[in-house]
Amino acid sequence: MKELIFYSALFITVFFVACDDGENFYGPIDVPDDNPKSTNEYFLANREEMKQIFTVDNTDGPVTITTDGGITITIQPHTFTVDGEPVDGNVEIELYEMLTLSSMVLSGTNTNYTGTWYGQPGYFATDGFFHISATAAGKEVDGRLAQPLRVMLPRKLSESDWTLLWPATEEAGDGGDLFAWEDPSNDWWGGEAWLNEEFEFEFEFEFDLGNLGWCNCDLFQYGQHTLTVTLTGEYGPFTNYLAVDGETYVFFAAKGCPVLAQLYTMVDSSTVQSYDHSMPDGITGRLFAFSIRDGVYTYGEKEITIDGDVFETIEMETVEKKYIDGRIASLDTYK
């Protein structure tokens, strides 16, 4: 099994889960001065802009930090340890939040679900997710926390007044190198995996987080149909998580609903499809693809409605970087 870029972990109410592996969110950063020459460089450049840093005194507290997107995290004294020993002094917290569809695309993530809710994979409607890590004197702190963080995440995207929390995997797909959300195991929860409901509190979800890593507030979308997409024109190979290999991403963004489905099940070198029977009936959305290869930016899109098994073709056309930036940003107002 390949080493994960980072290991997902989360905690709800009284259940603790496994630690993350302490690795950096996106790996080493080498961002060119000019436009990114590949999809991977594009993600790394956006990652730098998304990073938020907070410094807290581990002996002080409780301390509450607030992210740019409105997530509040309350930290109790002596929460962080290194090799099991309490940190005496400052801890630097690094956080990335994906509370909009555009930020999900720009981080190379999605709302894919690769678990077995009622016997099938599918896609989530999300209220957003984040990743949190921390260091003390340049050393990664322990993933499992001595005291849980109290998290309040604003309910901005969906209209649901409750949610479920989920861990992530970077080993989804046939090649075991793609991103998706998965079922929490009974070992993580210490009991029934589905008793992880968190209810809305004044337009926020409030819960405890006992480990560093991923945390996602999602609800399952029941599907019936399969979406198959063939690309024509100029584009690179279909890619894995964060475009470490390959350059081309294909997404379906639901109109007026916070669903970002990444299509990555390979049919052949020009065709990908959704999970089988995973697309909800009657949903309308933007089907789009982009690729950055050797400094050439290509993009294509069309609006479609899922009214059965759907077979679509997208013509990829050469565009400027600002065009792709603009189309991704417009997802946040796609209603």
Side-chain angles (χ1 to χ4, degrees), residues 21-177:
D21 66 6
E23 296 236 348
N24 195 7
F25 184 16
Y26 283 89
I29 300 170
D30 185 15
V31 180
D33 293 333
D34 54 354
N35 282 353
K37 296 296 190 296
S38 68
T39 306
N40 176 255
E41 290 181 357
Y42 182 71
F43 286 139
L44 295 181
N46 285 296
R47 181 264 185 189
E48 271 297 277
E49 295 186 8
M50 296 172 68
K51 179 170 64 177
Q52 299 180 53
I53 299 293
F54 305 89
T55 300
V56 299
D57 186 340
N58 195 48
T59 63
D60 193 15
V63 174
T64 298
I65 62 175
T66 302
T67 69
D68 293 341
I71 298 173
T72 63
I73 300 174
T74 300
I75 305 164
Q76 300 297 326
H78 312 297
T79 290
F80 300 102
T81 60
V82 173
D83 297 328
E85 295 298 322
V87 173
D88 184 14
N90 287 342
V91 172
E92 184 175 272
I93 296 170
E94 184 173 294
L95 187 141
Y96 301 84
E97 58 185 351
M98 297 79 172
L99 303 181
T100 62
L101 292 184
S102 65
S103 65
M104 296 170 200
V105 175
L106 293 175
S107 64
T109 56
N110 54 55
T111 64
N112 291 27
Y113 168 66
T114 189
T116 55
W117 185 277
Y118 290 101
Q120 70 176 77
Y123 302 100
F124 284 141
T126 184
D127 271 290
F129 44 90
F130 62 90
H131 181 271
I132 184 171
S133 60
T135 58
K139 186 174 182 180
E140 293 284 345
V141 305
D142 298 332
R144 192 177 185 108
L145 302 172
Q147 304 284 342
L149 309 175
R150 190 64 176 175
V151 179
M152 295 189 73
L153 187 145
R155 177 169 62 88
K156 292 183 176 180
L157 295 180
S158 78
E159 296 180 354
S160 175
D161 60 0
W162 69 286
T163 191
L164 298 170
L165 301 184
W166 305 87
T169 176
E170 297 162 28
E171 297 185 335
D174 294 338
D177 57 359

Side-chain angles (χ1 to χ4, degrees), residues 9 19 27 30 36 64 71-72 88 110 134 147 158 161 175 182 197 209 214 222 261-262 267 270 272 295 309 333:
C19 304
D30 185 15
T64 298
I71 298 173
T72 63
D88 184 14
N110 54 55
Q147 304 284 342
S158 78
D161 60 0
E182 64 181 353
E197 299 177 3
L209 181 65
W214 283 108
Y222 296 96
Q262 184 183 348
V267 177
S270 63
V272 290
D309 289 343
T333 55

Side-chain angles (χ1 to χ4, degrees), residues 2 5 169-180 239-245 249 264:
K2 75 179 184 66
I5 298 173
T169 176
E170 297 162 28
E171 297 185 335
D174 294 338
D177 57 359
L178 291 160
F179 183 91
T239 185
N240 57 7
Y241 177 43
L242 295 178
V244 175
D245 296 306
Y249 268 70
Y264 51 47

